[in-house]
Amino acid sequence: EDVRANIKAFVNFRDEIDEIKACLRVIESYFIDLFGSTCIVHFAGHQGSGKTRANATIIFMSRKGWLLLNPSDASTFRIVETLNPTIGIDEEFTSNVRLVLKGGYKKGLGIARMEKIKDGKFAVKLYNPFTCYNLSLKDTKVFDDQLKRRITTIQMIRNTKGVEAYDPSPFRF
């Protein structure tokens, strides 16, 4: 109930089911290691509908949440490998990050990179991209059919009645 109350303080959803999905995402983030796969959550809506605020609210309430703006693929999978956080991506991302998202929904998939080791030699390192990803994007043209099958959408509405008129601080929760 505290999760729901905190979300409702900052975000208005179009439907109650979308509010429930957001609450479940926060809870799921704390138990993601127990699952073999998860969906990618997409906050969708018109400009000014609260997509970024919803993403920030969910991310800041989630386990080790990081809200990123246009991250590179290398920074994304290295952050995930090192910290296993909940990742929120706002506004846009590169086609290479799209590939990370395609593999990041399922445990056991690896991103291979050559890493320099002792004596100037190189070795293959597999990075684990599996974690909870949330997206707040206006343009959904970046979603191909494969990515669309892995996404659950939370529809936002342009209505700030009864909610705080600012984005939450990470220290709020």
Side-chain angles (χ1 to χ4, degrees), residues 63-82:
R63 181 180 92 169
K64 301 184 213 170
W66 281 52
L67 188 59
L68 307 173
L69 178 63
N70 195 16
S72 70
D73 61 325
S75 67
T76 302
F77 63 72
R78 284 182 171 92
I79 289 168
V80 171
E81 173 77 20
T82 304

Side-chain angles (χ1 to χ4, degrees), residues 43-120:
F43 296 98
H46 297 291
Q47 185 175 350
S49 62
K51 299 179 297 293
T52 298
R53 183 179 299 182
N55 198 359
T57 302
I58 302 314
I59 288 298
F60 296 152
M61 292 178 68
S62 296
R63 181 180 92 169
K64 301 184 213 170
W66 281 52
L67 188 59
L68 307 173
L69 178 63
N70 195 16
S72 70
D73 61 325
S75 67
T76 302
F77 63 72
R78 284 182 171 92
I79 289 168
V80 171
E81 173 77 20
T82 304
L83 303 174
N84 194 19
T86 303
I87 298 283
I89 299 175
D90 189 37
E91 295 301 335
E92 60 185 62
F93 55 85
T94 65
S95 60
N96 287 340
V97 171
R98 182 174 50 237
L99 295 173
V100 173
L101 293 173
K102 284 182 177 184
Y105 81 101
K106 189 173 185 179
K107 195 178 279 187
L109 300 174
I111 297 173
R113 292 292 184 265
M114 296 300 291
E115 299 284 331
K116 198 172 192 176
I117 58 173
K118 294 179 184 178
D119 302 327

Side-chain angles (χ1 to χ4, degrees), residues 1-170:
E1 194 61 39
D2 287 342
V3 170
R4 193 173 193 175
N6 278 317
I7 291 173
K8 286 178 85 163
F10 289 95
V11 183
N12 281 326
F13 296 98
R14 189 171 80 180
D15 297 314
E16 184 180 11
I17 191 69
D18 290 329
E19 183 179 306
I20 293 167
K21 286 183 202 176
C23 293
L24 290 174
R25 183 51 152 207
V26 171
I27 295 165
E28 177 192 28
S29 72
Y30 288 91
F31 300 98
I32 192 63
D33 297 333
L34 302 175
F35 300 110
S37 65
T38 185
C39 64
I40 298 166
V41 172
H42 174 229
F43 296 98
H46 297 291
Q47 185 175 350
S49 62
K51 299 179 297 293
T52 298
R53 183 179 299 182
N55 198 359
T57 302
I58 302 314
I59 288 298
F60 296 152
M61 292 178 68
S62 296
R63 181 180 92 169
K64 301 184 213 170
W66 281 52
L67 188 59
L68 307 173
L69 178 63
N70 195 16
S72 70
D73 61 325
S75 67
T76 302
F77 63 72
R78 284 182 171 92
I79 289 168
V80 171
E81 173 77 20
T82 304
L83 303 174
N84 194 19
T86 303
I87 298 283
I89 299 175
D90 189 37
E91 295 301 335
E92 60 185 62
F93 55 85
T94 65
S95 60
N96 287 340
V97 171
R98 182 174 50 237
L99 295 173
V100 173
L101 293 173
K102 284 182 177 184
Y105 81 101
K106 189 173 185 179
K107 195 178 279 187
L109 300 174
I111 297 173
R113 292 292 184 265
M114 296 300 291
E115 299 284 331
K116 198 172 192 176
I117 58 173
K118 294 179 184 178
D119 302 327
K121 294 180 182 177
F122 288 87
V124 175
K125 176 165 171 126
L126 284 178
Y127 288 90
N128 171 21
F130 177 66
T131 197
C132 294
Y133 293 94
N134 299 341
L135 310 173
S136 47
L137 311 171
K138 184 172 69 172
D139 182 11
T140 58
K141 293 176 190 150
V142 296
F143 299 157
D144 59 21
D145 290 338
Q146 187 181 32
L147 193 55
K148 285 178 186 174
R149 288 191 300 272
R150 297 172 182 156
I151 289 175
T152 187
T153 300
I154 294 179
Q155 203 61 50
M156 305 305 300
I157 57 170
R158 192 174 191 161
N159 177 3
T160 57
K161 189 174 185 178
V163 298
E164 299 289 342
Y166 57 89
D167 290 349
S169 159

